[in-house]
Amino acid sequence: MPAVLRRASLRQPRARQLWAGDSLAVDACLESSPLETVYLRSEIRQGALRQGALVGIEHPDDHRLHAVAMKGPLLVPWAPGERDLVALAGALRSQVRFVQLIVGPRDQVAGLQRLLASQLGPARLLRAEQPHYAVDLDGLVAWPLDPPPLRKANVGDLEQAVRAGAAMHLEEVGFDPLASDPVGFRQRVLTLIRRGWVHVWMEGDQIVFKAECSAVTAEAIQLQGVWTNPKFRGQGRGTLAMAVLCRRLLAETQTVTLFVNDFNAVAIHVYERIGFRRIGTMRSVLF
């Protein structure tokens, strides 16, 4: 290889497996975008680096990480630069046959879809535009009504939480996880309950409202699975519960974030009504 080409190749971004010893380098890569990378940062707190679940893109000229992704059935990228996104796609190419879901910033996920199209194949479900929202204490609208009996779910609530989660999944995604993966879905809900990340408003043995934390850091908490029982919709209960939940969570973190399907006008109205502001757009692709 001519010397000029060899020098050019040495300057190209390179991929490497990340481990626990890379925690400071990963933090430096992600810290400038704490809301967009909250899921990755939270998973690192839960042991993702020790488990070898992350890959990074390093620049030889500065020996810093410029992109990070969690790999496996759930692929979550953070690669804001096009050159790093291309390098990340190259690193993941041999592993994408295991990917079931890609979630992340819209342009990055769309870029990976384009770069890995022949390996990924057609998507089963595409949510191309998912508004990304955030609220902090300064932006949260004060709610004058008495707070509802919202609490953290316990293991005794597992079956109700599983049924509520499955109902929401069927409504939002179009298929029932209890039909496709009942054991795995129940285990995921149980894990969230044991972490104290599932919040419920119960009346008798019925869930009125449910929301889950999908990521928790000192800078942000990301919500998912926000659901109001259809029997109790149209009464303002979901709005009240979300306002109360956000106020409680903001005693533990600086910002609450979530993303929502762009066609869910009712949910978007609720979030904006209590003070959420749009900060970007996410994209989810199911295979």
Side-chain angles (χ1 to χ4, degrees), residues 86-192:
V86 171
L88 184 61
L92 295 169
R93 184 162 281 113
S94 64
Q95 305 173 44
V96 294
R97 65 184 183 276
F98 302 112
V99 172
Q100 299 173 11
L101 178 65
I102 309 178
V103 179
R106 176 191 57 196
D107 294 345
Q108 295 179 36
V109 173
L112 284 179
Q113 277 188 275
R114 182 185 73 253
L115 293 164
L116 297 171
S118 60
Q119 289 82 21
L120 287 168
R124 291 172 56 197
L125 183 75
L126 172 63
R127 295 289 186 248
E129 301 275 338
Q130 294 178 301
H132 191 195
Y133 281 91
V135 68
D136 57 22
L137 271 178
D138 290 336
L140 187 65
V141 174
W143 219 253
L145 301 177
D146 292 335
L150 190 69
R151 60 172 174 82
K152 290 184 178 181
N154 56 55
V155 174
D157 301 313
L158 177 62
E159 291 308 314
Q160 293 98 322
V162 166
R163 288 197 297 271
M168 191 222 71
H169 206 81
L170 182 61
E171 186 176 354
E172 291 283 324
V173 182
F175 67 87
D176 183 357
L178 290 178
S180 59
D181 183 19
V183 175
F185 184 73
R186 182 171 274 101
Q187 183 59 49
R188 288 191 290 275
V189 175
L190 179 59
T191 297
L192 293 176

Side-chain angles (χ1 to χ4, degrees), residues 17-258:
Q17 175 68 50
L18 300 176
W19 299 100
D22 295 305
S23 59
L24 292 179
V26 175
D27 282 345
C29 176
L30 303 179
E31 66 183 356
S32 64
S33 302
L35 304 186
E36 293 82 356
T37 64
V38 60
Y39 186 83
L40 288 169
R41 292 164 66 88
S42 179
E43 287 300 296
I44 289 167
R45 291 181 62 184
Q46 298 297 325
L49 281 172
R50 293 193 303 273
Q51 297 158 10
L54 276 74
V55 62
I57 302 300
E58 188 176 68
H59 287 195
D61 53 353
D62 61 11
H63 301 288
R64 293 193 297 114
L65 291 173
H66 290 257
V68 172
M70 191 173 77
K71 56 186 180 175
L74 171 60
L75 174 57
V76 182
W78 177 248
E82 178 65 23
R83 190 169 67 139
D84 300 312
L85 191 67
V86 171
L88 184 61
L92 295 169
R93 184 162 281 113
S94 64
Q95 305 173 44
V96 294
R97 65 184 183 276
F98 302 112
V99 172
Q100 299 173 11
L101 178 65
I102 309 178
V103 179
R106 176 191 57 196
D107 294 345
Q108 295 179 36
V109 173
L112 284 179
Q113 277 188 275
R114 182 185 73 253
L115 293 164
L116 297 171
S118 60
Q119 289 82 21
L120 287 168
R124 291 172 56 197
L125 183 75
L126 172 63
R127 295 289 186 248
E129 301 275 338
Q130 294 178 301
H132 191 195
Y133 281 91
V135 68
D136 57 22
L137 271 178
D138 290 336
L140 187 65
V141 174
W143 219 253
L145 301 177
D146 292 335
L150 190 69
R151 60 172 174 82
K152 290 184 178 181
N154 56 55
V155 174
D157 301 313
L158 177 62
E159 291 308 314
Q160 293 98 322
V162 166
R163 288 197 297 271
M168 191 222 71
H169 206 81
L170 182 61
E171 186 176 354
E172 291 283 324
V173 182
F175 67 87
D176 183 357
L178 290 178
S180 59
D181 183 19
V183 175
F185 184 73
R186 182 171 274 101
Q187 183 59 49
R188 288 191 290 275
V189 175
L190 179 59
T191 297
L192 293 176
I193 288 176
R194 285 176 170 164
R195 289 180 181 177
W197 288 9
V198 180
H199 300 262
V200 293
W201 173 356
M202 304 287 296
E203 286 195 359
D205 62 352
Q206 293 189 93
I207 290 181
V208 174
F209 170 89
K210 173 194 69 71
E212 303 159 1
C213 302
S214 60
V216 175
T217 71
E219 295 80 17
I221 291 177
Q222 180 173 279
L223 293 178
Q224 68 175 14
V226 179
W227 181 80
T228 301
N229 190 324
K231 296 179 182 178
F232 301 99
R233 292 178 186 173
Q235 304 173 21
R237 298 199 192 198
T239 305
L240 174 60
M242 273 296 289
V244 170
L245 176 58
C246 288
R247 186 161 297 278
R248 290 181 184 176
L249 295 177
L250 287 169
E252 305 172 15
T253 192
Q254 299 173 21
T255 308
V256 174
T257 75
L258 53 80

